[in-house]
Amino acid sequence: MSLDIIYHSRRISEAKIRKKFVPEFGEENCRFHATTASKSSYDIALEVINGGGRTLIACGGDGTLNEVANAILDMQIKEGIEGIRIGVLPVGTANDFVKSANISKDPRKLKELIDSNSVFQMDVGLLTHNKVTHYFINAMDAGMGADAIGNVQSMPRWIGGKSAYKLGIVKSLMTYKNRRMRLVLDGEVVDGFFRMVIVSNGRFIGEGHCVA
């Protein structure tokens, strides 16, 4: 079985990602694709699928996983391509989805799942903004949480993991002002000023903060 491994090149080098996969799966079964810019995981995943790839492994954080999943869903829904599977090996800044799904960082566990054909379906969220559709696996956040993510993404590479999220949250706590939002929940309209609104498919956001 061929694996197309899409990895976040700012978080892990090609040499390190090869050390995780080649001993378990073999060089001949692995194709490595490095991200080159923000959101490039989506474009890479589209190219892989168009080239016949059907088992994609997202190696990064929640952002990498979400981009690869969006590419898969777009190809399934818009192009009718079925039989695409996604696996996860978390190596990124935030790994909140894997906490809810109890996914291991050990590549040997990933191999066991692939060898045993352990596949499960799950719900995804759907967000439409300015006529653009986007799916989310873990959570959608409007307000201070999204502002904090923007702070994290603007930080230097050497600030990673929990430190980046703590600093991003602290900055937002100091500077973010509540925004007026209009929510429609099961037909009921709620209009007011909110600090944060979360639609959660997983249990955790912001590097381990439990919200559901």
Side-chain angles (χ1 to χ4, degrees):
M1 175 185 297
S2 295
L3 305 182
D4 284 283
I5 299 143
I6 301 172
Y7 67 96
H8 194 315
S9 59
R10 288 191 62 194
R11 298 300 172 192
I12 190 167
S13 67
E14 182 176 349
K16 288 183 178 179
I17 204 72
R18 283 183 176 276
K19 285 182 179 179
K20 290 180 178 291
F21 281 90
V22 171
E24 298 299 326
F25 296 94
E27 180 80 36
E28 68 280 4
N29 295 319
C30 299
R31 293 190 292 262
F32 297 94
H33 311 270
T35 61
T36 55
S38 176
K39 300 183 180 179
S40 64
S41 299
Y42 176 88
D43 294 329
I44 293 171
L46 289 183
E47 290 179 8
V48 166
I49 296 167
N50 282 323
R54 292 297 179 265
T55 302
L56 283 64
I57 309 298
C59 296
D62 293 317
T64 303
L65 171 61
N66 210 52
E67 289 173 29
V68 175
N70 267 269
I72 292 173
L73 288 164
D74 280 344
M75 293 300 281
Q76 288 181 334
I77 294 169
K78 296 177 182 178
E79 304 296 332
I81 299 176
E82 299 292 340
I84 311 169
R85 304 187 301 176
I86 184 171
V88 185
L89 190 70
V91 297
T93 303
N95 297 299
D96 289 311
F97 171 76
V98 300
K99 296 180 180 68
S100 298
N102 195 28
I103 294 172
S104 173
K105 295 182 179 182
D106 188 342
R108 292 172 296 183
K109 297 293 185 183
L110 176 62
K111 188 174 190 301
E112 290 176 5
L113 292 173
I114 292 174
D115 288 347
S116 62
N117 198 33
S118 296
V119 179
F120 68 92
Q121 294 182 329
M122 60 169 291
D123 294 330
V124 296
L126 175 63
L127 170 67
T128 301
H129 179 65
N130 291 335
K131 298 183 179 180
V132 177
T133 295
H134 192 80
Y135 302 95
F136 60 91
I137 288 182
N138 191 55
M140 187 283 294
D141 187 344
M144 192 186 76
D147 185 72
I149 294 297
N151 294 335
V152 173
Q153 292 175 340
S154 66
M155 289 182 187
R157 179 178 177 179
W158 57 269
I159 304 177
K162 292 184 178 180
S163 296
Y165 273 87
K166 287 178 180 179
L167 289 171
I169 290 170
V170 169
K171 183 177 180 180
S172 290
L173 284 170
M174 295 173 62
T175 62
Y176 185 80
K177 298 184 183 298
N178 291 2
R179 305 288 178 87
R180 185 163 190 169
M181 303 184 194
R182 184 175 183 270
L183 311 177
V184 181
L185 307 172
D186 295 328
E188 180 182 354
V189 177
V190 181
D191 196 335
F193 287 86
F194 297 89
R195 180 161 291 267
M196 184 160 55
V197 174
I198 302 168
V199 179
S200 186
N201 195 37
R203 296 183 58 209
F204 302 94
I205 66 168
E207 188 60 34
H209 293 84
C210 186
V211 295

